[in-house]
């Protein structure tokens, strides 16, 4: 009895998943509201043309970080899959969380339309009472879908702007329409499409076989203990416990692991792309076998541990390669992020190479495009830092509002003989420094510009 209690006292994976879903939901809902120095943790704003990452605002011209973020995302998914199978699908994917909320919470717990342990039996809608409950469930989920759609938009339109826009709905019909379309899709997806989205639409299931190996953790049935239920052609050959080939085979053929599966598969058939690693089958078998004083025939383990009796290796060639790649990408992300400039400045030369004025004064015209990427107005100053013989003839400090751009024509002149060359014009590279009076140490940039000095005969 003590051994039996040990198996049955284990906290079901389903309950652990619920805790994970609560944490994921709190993070997803709360993250858009967290701000550091006025910037969001993550925000991709097409309206303001900015990317906010960990409290740092990057302008659209600085989106060189996006490839690194995408690499980090995909490498992270590959690494997690190599270690824990489709842990993302079963434990953090919004599709799974939404289905659990609707199927297990709304339909099962609140409305009593179905049983959590039997996910394959659909509610009997021939009864008027059940039809009413179904409509109530759809209404409840529609309200939640609107919240989820709004939360999705908050990562593109910050909440402070989102709620301000809602106060003038006629002026922001596109935003409202977009939210309603997302909510409508979530209603269709969660209520009608259901797990078919995971099986037929999501591409992740198609790549899992490439990422799995014999040390990957997954929901796996022990044929050594339970017996072969399917033959080599994946055809079911055992329907009753008495049909098991060996007396030592422990499977009771109760089908609990089958009826509880949200994607309608039989885990005893082996690895299948429909499996989302929710581990509901592990919990079901643990309950049945625990009453017999035995461990579950379906475990969250690896092929090596269950079938080959070889310890699972967490540190192996594939995982080391993934995590080295992750460290490299994270390092590059921090290095590139550390090079962020707190203002933007583009320097372009006009079509006129140079102009020779009286007294052999040589002038070059440039067009400078300033952008204030800070959240406060700033006054910009310009100077030349590495050539005292060239002066700024035309430029006055000016103030620029947050997020605004300004184009300025700058004239650089010199009355010195910089180059004694009678054969050709000479390009001279100079360094321009632009900075904000209010914070010259933080808000400053350096740009190279080419000053064209004419050949000597042009000065006569």
């Amino acid at each position: 009895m003590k051994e039996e209690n040990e198996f049955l006292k284990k906290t079901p994976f389903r309950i652990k998943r619920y805790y994970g879903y609560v944490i994921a939901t709190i993070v997803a809902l709360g993250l858009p509201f967290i701000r550091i120095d006025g910037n969001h943790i993550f925000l991709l704003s097409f309206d303001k043309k900015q990317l906010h990452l960990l409290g740092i605002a990057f302008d659209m011209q600085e989106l060189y970080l996006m490839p690194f973020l995408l690499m980090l995302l995909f490498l992270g998914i590959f690494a997690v899959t190599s270690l824990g199978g489709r842990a993302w699908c079963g434990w953090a994917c919004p599709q799974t969380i939404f289905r659990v909320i609707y199927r297990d919470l709304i339909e099962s717990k609140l409305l009593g339309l179905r049983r959590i342990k039997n996910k394959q039996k659909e509610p009997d809608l021939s009864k008027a009472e059940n039809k009413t409950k179904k409509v109530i469930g759809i209404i409840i989920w529609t309200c939640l879908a609107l919240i989820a759609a709004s939360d999705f938009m908050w990562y593109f339109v910050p909440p402070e702007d989102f709620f301000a826009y809602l106060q003038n709905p006629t002026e922001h019909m596109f935003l409202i329409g977009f939210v309603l379309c997302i909510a409508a899709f979530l209603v269709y997806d969660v209520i009608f499409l259901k797990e078919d989205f995971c099986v037929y639409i999501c591409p992740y299931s198609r790549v899992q076989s490439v990422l799995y190996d014999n040390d990957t953790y997954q929901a796996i049935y022990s044929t050594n203990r339970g017996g072969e239920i399917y033959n080599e052609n994946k055809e079911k050959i055992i329907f009753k416990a008495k049909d098991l080939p060996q007396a030592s085979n422990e499977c009771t053929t109760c089908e609990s692991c089958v009826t509880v599966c949200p994607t309608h598969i039989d885990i005893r058939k082996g690895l299948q792309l429909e499996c989302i690693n929710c581990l509901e089958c592990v919990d079901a078998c643990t309950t049945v076998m625990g009453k017999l004083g035995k461990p579950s025939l379906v475990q969250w383990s690896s092929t090596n541990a269950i079938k080959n009796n070889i310890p699972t290796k967490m540190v192996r060639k594939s995982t080391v390669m993934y995590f080295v790649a992750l460290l490299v990408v994270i390092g590059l992300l921090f290095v590139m992020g550390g090079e962020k400039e707190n203002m933007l400045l583009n320097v372009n030369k006009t079509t006129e190479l140079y102009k020779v004025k009286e007294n052999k004064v040589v002038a070059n015209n440039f067009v400078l495009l300033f952008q204030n990427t800070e959240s406060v107005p700033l006054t910009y100053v310009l100077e030349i830092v590495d050539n005292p013989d060239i002066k700024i003839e035309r430029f006055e400090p000016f103030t620029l509002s947050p997020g605004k751009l300004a184009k300025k024509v700058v004239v650089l002149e010199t009355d010195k003989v910089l180059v004694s060359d009678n054969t050709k014009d000479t390009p001279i590279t100079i360094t321009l420094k632009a900075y904000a009076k209010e914070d010259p140490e933080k808000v400053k940039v350096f740009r190279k510009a080419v000053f064209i000095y004419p050949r000597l005969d042009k000065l006569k």
Side-chain angles (χ1 to χ4, degrees):
M1 181 62 69
K2 182 179 179 181
E3 187 178 8
E4 175 184 331
N5 290 337
E6 288 299 317
F7 295 123
L8 295 178
K9 281 184 178 179
K10 290 182 179 179
T11 303
F13 285 109
R14 176 169 57 85
I15 303 301
K16 295 178 181 178
R17 283 195 353 266
Y18 289 168
Y19 290 140
Y21 296 163
V22 171
I23 294 173
T25 302
I26 292 174
V27 170
L29 289 172
L31 206 59
F33 293 91
I34 301 176
R35 304 176 73 177
I36 301 175
D37 295 331
N39 299 321
H40 294 265
I41 299 296
F42 180 83
L43 172 70
L44 183 58
S45 174
F46 295 101
D47 182 24
K48 298 180 180 179
K49 298 181 176 64
Q50 284 186 333
L51 167 68
H52 291 196
L53 185 63
L54 299 179
I56 302 174
F58 295 90
D59 199 77
M60 281 298 176
Q61 288 91 331
E62 301 174 292
L63 287 190
Y64 48 77
L65 292 177
M66 285 303 294
F68 295 99
L69 291 175
L70 292 175
M71 285 190 287
L72 190 64
L73 172 65
F74 284 106
L75 283 173
I77 291 176
F78 293 162
V80 169
T81 304
S82 177
L83 283 172
R86 292 175 65 181
W88 161 261
C89 296
W91 293 72
C93 177
Q95 168 74 16
T96 304
I97 296 175
F98 293 158
R99 277 294 295 163
V100 167
I101 291 174
Y102 178 74
R103 182 192 61 229
D104 294 357
L105 178 59
I106 297 176
E107 284 196 335
S108 300
K109 288 292 186 180
L110 296 181
L111 302 177
L113 281 172
R114 61 164 81 231
R115 294 173 58 244
I116 290 180
K117 292 185 178 181
N118 190 345
K119 294 179 172 57
Q120 300 197 13
K121 184 178 180 181
E122 293 296 326
D124 182 7
L125 297 182
S126 62
K127 299 179 180 179
E129 179 186 3
N130 288 350
K131 288 182 179 179
T132 302
K133 289 181 178 180
K134 184 73 174 182
V135 172
I136 294 173
I138 293 175
I139 293 173
I140 294 174
W141 174 247
T142 300
C143 295
L144 295 178
L146 286 169
I147 296 175
S150 300
D151 182 45
F152 174 79
M153 287 302 301
W154 293 339
Y155 289 93
F156 301 92
V157 180
E160 60 271 19
D161 292 344
F162 181 87
F163 291 111
Y165 294 160
L166 290 184
Q167 295 176 10
N168 298 293
T170 56
E171 297 180 7
H172 302 93
M173 293 303 295
F174 180 80
L175 172 67
I176 295 174
F178 203 79
V179 171
L180 292 177
C181 287
I182 295 174
F185 170 77
L186 290 178
V187 171
Y188 169 74
D189 172 34
V190 173
I191 297 178
F192 302 101
L193 191 58
K194 299 179 283 193
E195 278 74 21
D196 285 346
F197 180 91
C198 307
V199 176
Y200 300 110
I201 299 177
C202 180
Y204 185 33
S205 62
R206 299 304 191 272
V207 301
Q208 68 173 7
S209 59
V210 181
L211 303 174
Y212 277 35
D213 57 34
N214 286 340
D215 287 302
T216 299
Y217 272 81
Q218 57 188 292
I220 185 170
Y221 167 73
S222 175
T223 55
N224 295 339
R225 289 178 50 214
E228 297 281 358
I229 306 299
Y230 289 81
N231 62 18
E232 295 180 354
N233 297 322
K234 302 299 181 181
E235 298 172 340
K236 191 172 183 179
I237 56 176
I238 302 297
F239 295 89
K240 299 293 183 181
K242 62 182 179 63
D243 298 328
L244 289 167
Q246 299 179 19
S248 59
N249 294 150
E250 300 176 13
C251 181
T252 63
T253 65
C254 65
E255 304 285 316
S256 293
C257 60
V258 178
T259 57
V260 79
C261 179
T263 57
H264 299 195
I265 65 171
D266 188 342
I267 194 63
R268 299 171 298 176
K269 196 175 183 178
L271 178 63
Q272 297 156 78
L273 62 84
E274 296 90 345
C275 179
I276 60 173
N277 246 15
C278 65
L279 308 183
E280 291 273 12
C281 52
V282 178
D283 290 339
C285 192
T286 297
T287 300
V288 174
M289 299 305 293
K291 293 177 180 178
L292 301 177
K294 299 176 181 180
S296 174
L297 295 174
V298 185
Q299 299 278 350
W300 189 53
S301 188
S302 68
T303 302
N304 275 339
I306 297 298
K307 296 191 175 183
N308 303 328
N309 293 320
I310 301 174
T312 302
K313 292 182 179 180
M314 298 295 289
V315 180
R316 53 191 189 273
K317 183 179 178 180
S318 60
T319 57
V320 170
M321 290 175 61
Y322 281 128
F323 281 97
V324 168
L326 278 172
L327 289 176
V328 170
V329 172
I330 291 173
L332 289 173
L333 189 61
F334 275 99
V335 170
M336 299 297 287
E339 295 180 357
K340 172 185 164 47
E341 296 176 331
N342 294 286
M343 63 174 285
L344 294 180
L345 176 63
N346 293 331
V347 179
N348 297 290
K349 206 170 188 319
T350 61
T351 55
E352 185 180 31
L353 288 179
Y354 54 81
K355 184 177 182 180
V356 180
K357 299 182 178 180
E358 295 179 357
N359 300 321
K360 298 182 181 180
V361 174
V362 179
N364 278 211
N365 297 339
F366 296 85
V367 177
L368 274 60
L369 181 64
F370 292 80
Q371 182 173 5
N372 182 357
T373 59
E374 297 296 289
S375 57
V376 295
L378 295 174
T379 301
Y380 293 108
V381 180
L382 185 70
E383 62 183 40
I384 301 172
V385 298
D386 58 356
N387 196 320
D389 293 330
I390 301 176
K391 308 295 183 183
I392 299 176
E393 176 62 24
R394 177 182 168 182
F395 179 83
E396 293 294 334
F398 68 99
T399 301
L400 197 57
S401 300
K404 297 299 182 179
L405 295 92
K407 185 180 292 186
K408 299 291 181 180
V409 176
V410 177
V411 179
L412 305 184
E413 290 186 353
T414 181
D415 57 1
K416 309 292 184 182
V417 178
L418 301 181
V419 180
S420 299
D421 193 329
N422 292 313
T423 61
K424 64 180 186 301
D425 299 336
T426 303
I428 300 172
T429 301
I430 61 174
T431 303
L432 298 175
K433 175 185 177 182
Y435 60 91
K437 275 186 176 181
E438 293 80 1
D439 195 349
E441 290 302 315
K442 176 185 176 183
V443 185
K444 62 181 179 181
V445 296
F446 295 88
R447 293 289 185 269
K448 295 294 183 182
V450 176
F451 186 92
I452 304 298
Y453 193 80
R455 62 181 189 266
L456 287 180
D457 64 303
K458 293 283 187 179
L459 299 177
K460 294 179 182 179

